[in-house]
């Protein structure tokens, strides 16, 4: 906008020219004399109108209350992540006396990590995967990654918004103004210096092209930006922790499939053994050397093993589908795993060293620390609402009656706003921010305890699994030797089918125990890797003997 003094002068110049043009019948000398007198009086009136406008504008500027910056409040709790993957190991108290497996191990995956987006390059042909390939696909297509990335992008936008509150706002304006004023309506009546004032002014027009700047500086905006930056850092740590969860979910499901495949292979061997025993009993029964009861026992055992094999194969197919859902592969695609469960594992680091590593590497603990920092910055922002703020505004540009005849104009203003009374709003913000700080401090302290507990429980599971695999391997060997001896005794007619069936059940149980022990041992290893925050670094190479 232009200076009020200049506007008033230009308005009355336009009015005067129109008036002079209507009096061409006057003598030229008298016209020139009146012209000079009217111009002088009208310029004085223009200055008078401009002065009034300027005073009104100045009064309005002094009375207008600036927008005071407000502290951004954080949620009371910083724990926003839902779902995940969890390894559970519990005691097996329902097993028969024939089993040596004393623990049950499971991997449980919950939303959003259960799902994925489909790989656009996926085909319906067979796909062979090792554990590193499966993990890489999971990190790329699992829904947990997508959700974590979206949260990071959203908080990045909030940080930029907070930063924009501290940066100047610069913009340009180009305008053309056409106006006609009723002076009486504006309260300007009577004459000035003995001259009568016109009732209207205009029409008149002018052009303007301005570059405008506004800036607001206060400590609240600075702390708001720091709070948004800490929240973004926390989201990035949560996204990194989401990757660890995905690695745990994919690798645990991968190991579960390997264990199921081993159980299927073992059960296929049991079916073949039971079938061979049944065929031998059938022949001996037909020959009259064995009673029908031996033949029937062998028949029932053979079909029982077949039913077990059918059930195990169905479970294996469903587990392949679950893995496909985790890594963005169509559930109808045929998958083949390229590795096996290792029985020999390297020793783990001492437990106290593992706890120290976890405190340094766990991304969820770092996220809790950043959430606490964000709450502390929000608390500082609330206190800063008591402090004065500085506002700067102004413009510079060209203004004139047409684009070719413009003059440079500018204006600058600085304002210091001092809070005096705000009806307890600042105190309410401080109380709210203080509650959030206390809650997040408690959550951070609790998270440290959760991390240490996770590491120490992982060590207990690993120790149990290590001891159990040795016992299971020995029992597997003894059960196989017993079955061989029972079959020889049965063929020689020394014993009946009862001993053979019992030996076959013992072998089947020992094989299941051995596979379960292998699964438990390797599952305990990946749980420990997750507990110390090194899952993504360690697990892709764990089946290679590392």
């Amino acid at each position: 906008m232009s200076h009020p003094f200049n506007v008033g002068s230009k308005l009355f110049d336009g009015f005067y020219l129109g008036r002079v043009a209507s009096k061409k019948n006057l003598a030229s000398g008298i016209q020139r004399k009146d012209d000079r007198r009217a111009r002088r009086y009208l310029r004085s009136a223009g200055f008078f109108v401009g002065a009034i406008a300027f005073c009104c504008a100045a009064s309005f500027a002094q009375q207008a209350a600036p927008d005071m910056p407000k502290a951004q409040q954080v949620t009371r709790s910083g724990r926003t992540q839902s779902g995940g993957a969890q390894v559970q190991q519990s005691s097996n108290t329902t097993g028969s006396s024939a089993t040596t497996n004393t623990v049950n191990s499971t991997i449980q995956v919950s939303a959003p990590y259960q799902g994925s987006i489909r790989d656009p390059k996926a085909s319906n042909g067979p796909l062979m995967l090792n554990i590193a390939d499966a993990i890489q696909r999971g990190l790329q297509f699992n829904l947990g990654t997508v959700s974590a990335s979206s949260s990071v992008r959203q908080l990045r936008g909030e940080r930029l918004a907070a930063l924009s509150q501290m940066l100047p706002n610069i913009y340009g304006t180009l305008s053309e103004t056409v106006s006609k004023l009723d002076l009486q309506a504006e309260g300007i009546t009577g004459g000035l210096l003995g001259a009568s004032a016109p009732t209207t002014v205009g029409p008149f027009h002018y052009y303007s092209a301005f570059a405008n700047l506004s800036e607001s500086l206060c400590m609240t905006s600075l702390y708001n930006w720091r709070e948004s930056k800490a929240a973004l850092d926390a989201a990035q740590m949560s996204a990194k922790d989401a990757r660890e969860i995905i690695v745990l979910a994919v690798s645990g499901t991968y190991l579960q499939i390997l264990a199921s495949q081993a159980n299927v292979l073992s059960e296929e061997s049991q079916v073949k053994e039971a079938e061979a025993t049944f065929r031998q009993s059938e022949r001996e029964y037909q020959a009259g050397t064995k009673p029908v009861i031996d033949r029937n026992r062998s028949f029932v055992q053979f079909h029982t093993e077949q039913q077990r094999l059918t059930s195990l194969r169905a479970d294996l197919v469903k587990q392949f589908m679950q893995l496909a859902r985790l890594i963005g592969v169509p559930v109808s695609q045929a998958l083949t795993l390229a590795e096996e469960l290792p029985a020999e594992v390297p020793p783990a680091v001492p437990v106290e060293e593992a706890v120290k590593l976890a405190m340094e590497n766990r991304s969820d603990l770092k996220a809790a620390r950043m959430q606490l920092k964000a709450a502390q910055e929000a608390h500082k922002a609330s206190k800063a609402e008591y402090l004065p703020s500085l506002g700067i505004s102004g413009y510079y540009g060209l203004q004139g009656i047409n684009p070719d005849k413009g003059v440079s104009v500018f204006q600058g203003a600085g304002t210091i706003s001092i809070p005096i009374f705000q009806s307890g709003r600042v105190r309410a913000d401080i109380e709210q921010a203080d509650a959030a700080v206390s809650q997040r401090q408690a959550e951070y302290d609790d998270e440290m305890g959760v991390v240490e507990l996770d590491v120490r429980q992982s060590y207990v599971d690993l120790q149990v699994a290590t001891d159990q695999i040795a016992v299971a391997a020995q029992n597997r060997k003894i059960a196989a030797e017993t079955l061989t001896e029972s079959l020889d005794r049965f063929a020689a007619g020394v014993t009946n089918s009862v001993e053979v069936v019992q030996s076959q059940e013992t072998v089947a149980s020992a094989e299941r125990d051995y596979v379960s022990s292998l699964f438990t041992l390797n599952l305990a290893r990946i749980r420990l890797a997750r507990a110390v925050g090194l899952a993504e670094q360690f697990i892709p190479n764990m089946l290679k003997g590392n």
Side-chain angles (χ1 to χ4, degrees):
M1 57 181 295
S2 62
H3 198 286
F5 295 162
N6 295 334
V7 173
S9 177
K10 292 176 181 178
L11 299 185
F12 280 92
D13 281 348
F15 172 79
Y16 166 75
L17 292 177
R19 185 177 181 184
V20 169
S22 65
K23 295 182 178 180
K24 293 182 179 180
N25 57 339
L26 295 180
S28 59
I30 298 175
Q31 184 177 1
R32 286 192 298 270
K33 184 176 180 180
D34 291 341
D35 183 21
R36 289 192 298 271
R37 184 182 298 109
R39 183 181 294 275
R40 183 170 62 252
Y41 288 162
L42 290 175
R43 286 190 180 277
S44 301
F47 183 84
F48 174 69
V49 173
I52 293 176
F54 179 79
C55 292
C56 291
S59 176
F60 177 80
Q62 292 175 356
Q63 296 176 4
D67 293 334
M68 301 295 291
K70 193 175 185 302
Q72 295 178 358
Q73 297 296 330
V74 298
T75 57
R76 189 168 58 88
S77 174
R79 293 178 173 175
T80 57
Q81 185 177 3
S82 60
Q86 186 176 9
V87 174
Q88 293 183 347
Q89 180 173 303
S90 58
S91 299
N92 181 12
T93 58
T94 60
S96 64
S97 58
T99 181
T100 59
N101 184 24
T102 58
V103 294
N104 287 327
S105 297
T106 57
I107 174 74
Q108 296 181 349
V109 184
S110 56
Y113 300 94
Q114 288 176 325
S116 63
I117 59 175
R118 182 165 179 172
D119 181 3
K121 299 180 181 180
S123 63
N124 293 324
L127 177 63
M128 179 172 287
L129 293 172
N130 57 34
I131 192 170
D133 295 334
I135 288 173
Q136 185 60 38
R137 285 179 171 272
L139 293 175
Q140 186 174 1
F141 300 110
N142 190 273
L143 193 59
T145 298
V146 178
S147 300
S149 299
S150 298
S151 298
V152 171
R153 292 176 60 187
Q154 182 179 6
L155 288 172
R156 186 177 291 118
E158 293 180 5
R159 182 184 66 86
L160 292 175
L163 179 61
S164 67
Q165 298 298 319
M166 298 191 300
L167 298 179
N169 185 21
I170 302 175
Y171 60 95
T173 57
L174 180 64
S175 65
E176 177 185 0
T177 303
V178 179
S179 180
K180 183 177 181 180
L181 301 180
D182 184 348
L183 296 182
Q184 292 182 350
E186 299 294 332
I188 303 176
T189 59
L192 183 66
L193 301 179
S196 61
T199 58
T200 61
V201 176
F204 60 91
H205 73 278
Y206 61 93
Y207 297 86
S208 61
F210 293 146
N212 305 271
L213 179 144
S214 62
E215 169 70 304
S216 178
L217 301 175
C218 64
M219 293 301 297
T220 299
S221 297
L222 176 61
Y223 290 128
N224 282 341
W225 174 74
R226 289 181 176 178
E227 179 269 322
S228 62
K229 184 176 182 299
L232 174 60
D233 293 339
Q236 290 173 336
M237 289 297 102
S238 296
K240 186 175 180 180
D241 186 63
R243 294 176 64 89
E244 293 277 298
I245 294 175
I246 292 170
V247 172
L248 178 64
V250 173
S251 60
T253 305
Y254 189 96
L255 294 179
Q256 190 173 36
I257 293 175
L258 291 181
S260 297
Q261 285 181 329
N263 281 327
V264 168
L265 292 176
S266 174
E267 190 61 33
E268 288 175 349
S269 299
Q270 300 305 317
V271 169
K272 291 179 180 179
E273 290 285 349
E275 183 180 12
T277 302
F278 167 67
R279 299 304 178 192
Q280 181 178 354
S281 299
E282 179 72 15
R283 289 192 299 269
E284 293 178 352
Y285 166 70
Q286 294 296 336
T289 60
K290 292 290 184 182
V292 68
I293 191 171
D294 286 342
R295 181 261 184 194
N296 291 341
R297 287 195 190 101
S298 301
F299 177 84
V300 171
Q301 180 66 21
F302 170 49
H303 285 82
T304 300
E305 297 297 341
Q306 283 184 323
Q307 291 175 348
R308 288 176 180 171
L309 179 59
T310 301
S311 177
L312 289 174
R313 284 174 174 171
D315 289 340
L316 180 60
V317 171
K318 290 187 287 186
Q319 289 168 8
F320 270 116
M321 292 181 180
Q322 292 173 355
L323 178 61
R325 287 289 296 133
L326 293 178
I327 61 177
V329 174
V331 294
S332 59
Q333 186 168 3
L335 300 179
T336 303
L337 305 190
E339 294 163 307
E340 296 180 353
L341 290 172
E344 299 294 332
V345 298
V349 297
V351 61
E352 297 301 331
E353 183 178 347
V355 171
K356 183 179 179 181
L357 285 173
M359 294 299 176
E360 295 174 354
N361 296 310
R362 282 284 290 262
S363 298
D364 51 348
L365 183 60
K366 294 179 181 178
R369 188 183 304 127
M370 291 297 102
Q371 291 284 6
L372 173 59
K373 182 179 179 181
Q376 293 171 340
E377 295 296 339
H379 188 263
K380 294 178 182 178
S382 299
K383 286 186 174 181
E385 291 181 334
Y386 282 126
L387 301 178
S389 62
L390 173 64
I392 300 173
S393 62
Y395 63 82
Y396 179 86
L398 298 177
Q399 190 176 65
I401 59 174
N402 59 63
D404 296 331
K405 296 182 179 180
V407 296
S408 62
V409 293
F410 66 90
Q411 178 177 317
T415 305
I416 297 180
S417 301
I418 303 175
I420 298 176
F421 177 72
Q422 301 186 61
S423 304
R425 178 180 65 83
V426 178
R427 182 59 185 169
D429 288 346
I430 294 176
E431 287 290 339
Q432 184 177 350
D434 187 63
V437 170
S438 299
Q439 176 68 22
R440 294 194 176 187
Q441 179 66 61
E443 289 176 354
Y444 175 64
D445 294 341
D446 176 69
E447 191 67 26
M448 294 179 65
V450 168
V451 170
E452 182 175 1
L453 177 65
D454 199 9
V455 173
R456 295 188 181 277
Q457 285 184 341
S458 299
Y459 261 85
V460 173
D461 291 348
L462 183 61
Q463 184 61 48
V464 171
T466 302
D467 295 341
Q468 182 173 284
I469 190 66
V471 177
Q474 186 67 22
N475 283 358
R476 180 190 183 208
K477 179 181 178 182
I478 298 299
E481 293 175 353
T482 302
L483 177 60
T484 301
E485 184 177 352
S486 296
L487 291 174
D488 292 341
R489 287 162 55 84
F490 181 74
V494 178
T495 185
N496 57 22
S497 61
V498 174
E499 180 179 331
V500 176
V501 170
Q502 290 177 344
S503 298
Q504 288 175 338
E505 286 286 353
T506 301
V507 169
S509 177
E511 289 291 340
R512 289 192 295 269
D513 288 348
Y514 180 73
V515 173
S516 177
S517 298
L518 282 180
F519 173 61
T520 299
L521 176 63
N522 287 278
L523 199 61
R525 295 175 66 201
I526 68 172
R527 181 185 179 185
L528 180 59
R530 156 62 181 162
V532 298
L534 298 175
E536 187 174 356
Q537 176 180 340
F538 164 77
I539 295 178
N541 299 316
M542 65 170 292
L543 298 184
K544 299 177 181 179
N546 298 327

